[in-house]
Amino acid sequence: MKGCEWCNLSEEDKKYLLSDTEYWTVYLADEQDYIGRCIIILKRHCGSLPELTDDEWMELFLLIKKYEKCIKTVFDAELCNWSCLMNNFYKSPEPCPHIHIHVRPRYKKPVVINGNTYLDNHFGHHYSSGETEQMCSKEDIQTIYGLMKKWLNS
Amino acid sequence: MKGCEWCNLSEEDKKYLLSDTEYWTVYLADEQDYIGRCIIILKRHCGSLPELTDDEWMELFLLIKKYEKCIKTVFDAELCNWSCLMNNFYKSPEPCPHIHIHVRPRYKKPVVINGNTYLDNHFGHHYSSGETEQMCSKEDIQTIYGLMKKWLNS
């Protein structure tokens, strides 16, 4: 849809593409406040979960299974927090929501990437939805992306 | 499962039952920080989304469609925030998570229940996950429950 930035992602936005299936694409999030954080985006413009087709809903389930396994295997996450919120779209006087699912892996143990240690300081509690507490370097994001991509392709 | 409080809800816990389907039950949440807030609970003990069966996943989709329609029709919500988190279980040294989905309706306009006005002060932003900001009286919760139950049964 014209004017929807989620329908018209730039090449820069697409740089961390992890999966491209029949109905969905999955990207590693730029914000790695939770290591392995991803966004699952519907390929067509659609504004709410009830408007998904049965086939889209079933393929989403396959992706949930695949990504939770990937994240637990590669980074030893304890669980994943799944959410479909869409609040930001409603800041606009004419909201044009586009379905996407947030995947936030949660960690009991520290995750070490290139010698840098990342802690989930709120483990056992709601994820932090405010400011990013720890910056992840571009090099570390690239490593996270490479590790996930390798697992997904194996 | 023995020891799982979600498998062994008390009669008090069950007082706001809205739906009882083949695989799920839905309750109005005690905490009505977002008017019409509900919890969808799997009837069997199961710890994560990937472990759901296809039939459970498909029935969840039917409930998402039904409840989003109910909440939009009865209270004029703009959207619903859907999440599957399960963080609290992981405070325990031996976590025993039990799948449940949070439904938080979001409101652009005030909702009036029995003459009391409820505002969604963070509309267009992430839901508040901290302290409840506005108390909802038992009478108003009962009214919310009655209105939803009536729509669901009609």
Side-chain angles (χ1 to χ4, degrees):
Chain A
M1 177 184 267
K2 247 187 164 178
C4 170
E5 63 177 301
W6 295 74
C7 285
N8 299 286
L9 293 175
S10 68
E11 288 312 308
E12 174 67 15
D13 292 332
K14 291 180 184 168
K15 67 182 183 296
Y16 294 132
L17 177 69
L18 286 166
S19 294
D20 183 352
T21 62
E22 191 169 357
Y23 304 113
W24 303 88
T25 48
V26 187
Y27 295 92
L28 188 71
D30 286 334
E31 203 177 356
Q32 286 295 299
D33 46 354
Y34 295 93
I35 301 300
R37 179 173 169 180
C38 297
I39 304 173
I40 305 176
I41 305 174
L42 189 68
K43 286 164 87 162
R44 72 177 174 98
H45 190 80
C46 170
S48 69
L49 285 183
E51 293 168 85
L52 291 179
T53 66
D54 286 359
D55 286 347
E56 288 164 351
W57 181 250
M58 281 313 298
E59 198 184 71
L60 175 62
F61 189 33
L62 296 179
L63 289 169
I64 287 174
K65 292 192 230 194
K66 183 184 264 189
Y67 275 80
E68 191 157 310
K69 189 163 185 187
C70 172
I71 287 161
K72 285 180 172 177
T73 308
V74 176
F75 303 118
D76 205 14
E78 295 292 317
L79 71 155
C80 289
N81 289 171
W82 301 91
S83 61
C84 182
L85 305 176
M86 322 257 279
N87 296 307
N88 281 343
F89 294 105
Y90 289 84
K91 288 189 177 77
S92 162
E94 285 174 41
C96 186
H98 186 130
I99 280 283
H100 61 280
I101 318 289
H102 298 275
V103 191
R104 288 178 175 88
R106 303 302 305 267
Y107 296 94
K108 191 174 179 178
K109 289 166 269 185
V111 186
V112 181
I113 307 286
N114 298 325
N116 298 315
T117 300
Y118 296 97
L119 300 171
D120 181 348
N121 290 319
H122 302 103
F123 183 72
H125 297 265
H126 199 282
Y127 59 80
S128 167
S129 58
E131 294 299 305
T132 305
E133 290 177 33
Q134 54 192 4
M135 293 294 292
C136 194
S137 70
K138 279 199 176 156
E139 187 198 345
D140 287 0
I141 296 180
Q142 199 61 48
T143 301
I144 293 163
Y145 177 67
L147 288 167
M148 289 183 72
K149 196 83 185 143
K150 189 177 163 196
W151 189 92
L152 290 163
N153 292 341
S154 68
Chain B
M1 176 183 268
K2 249 185 164 178
C4 169
E5 61 176 301
W6 296 74
C7 286
N8 299 285
L9 294 176
S10 68
E11 288 311 309
E12 173 66 13
D13 292 332
K14 291 178 184 170
K15 67 181 183 295
Y16 294 132
L17 177 69
L18 285 167
S19 294
D20 183 352
T21 62
E22 190 167 357
Y23 304 113
W24 304 87
T25 48
V26 187
Y27 295 93
L28 187 72
D30 286 335
E31 204 176 355
Q32 285 294 299
D33 45 354
Y34 295 94
I35 301 300
R37 179 173 169 181
C38 297
I39 306 172
I40 305 176
I41 306 174
L42 189 68
K43 287 164 89 164
R44 72 178 174 96
H45 190 81
C46 171
S48 69
L49 284 183
E51 292 169 86
L52 291 179
T53 67
D54 286 359
D55 287 347
E56 288 164 350
W57 181 249
M58 282 312 297
E59 198 184 69
L60 176 61
F61 190 33
L62 295 180
L63 289 170
I64 287 173
K65 293 192 230 193
K66 183 185 264 189
Y67 275 81
E68 191 157 307
K69 190 165 184 185
C70 173
I71 286 161
K72 285 181 172 177
T73 308
V74 176
F75 303 118
D76 206 15
E78 295 292 318
L79 72 154
C80 289
N81 289 170
W82 300 92
S83 62
C84 181
L85 306 175
M86 321 259 279
N87 295 307
N88 281 342
F89 294 104
Y90 289 82
K91 289 189 175 77
S92 162
E94 286 175 42
C96 187
H98 185 130
I99 279 284
H100 61 280
I101 318 290
H102 297 275
V103 192
R104 287 178 176 88
R106 302 303 304 269
Y107 296 95
K108 193 173 178 179
K109 290 166 270 185
V111 187
V112 181
I113 307 286
N114 298 323
N116 298 314
T117 301
Y118 295 97
L119 300 172
D120 181 348
N121 289 319
H122 302 102
F123 182 74
H125 297 267
H126 199 283
Y127 60 79
S128 167
S129 59
E131 293 300 303
T132 306
E133 290 176 32
Q134 53 191 5
M135 293 295 290
C136 195
S137 68
K138 280 200 175 154
E139 188 199 345
D140 287 359
I141 297 180
Q142 199 62 47
T143 301
I144 294 163
Y145 177 66
L147 288 167
M148 290 182 72
K149 197 82 184 143
K150 189 176 162 196
W151 188 92
L152 292 162
N153 292 341
S154 67

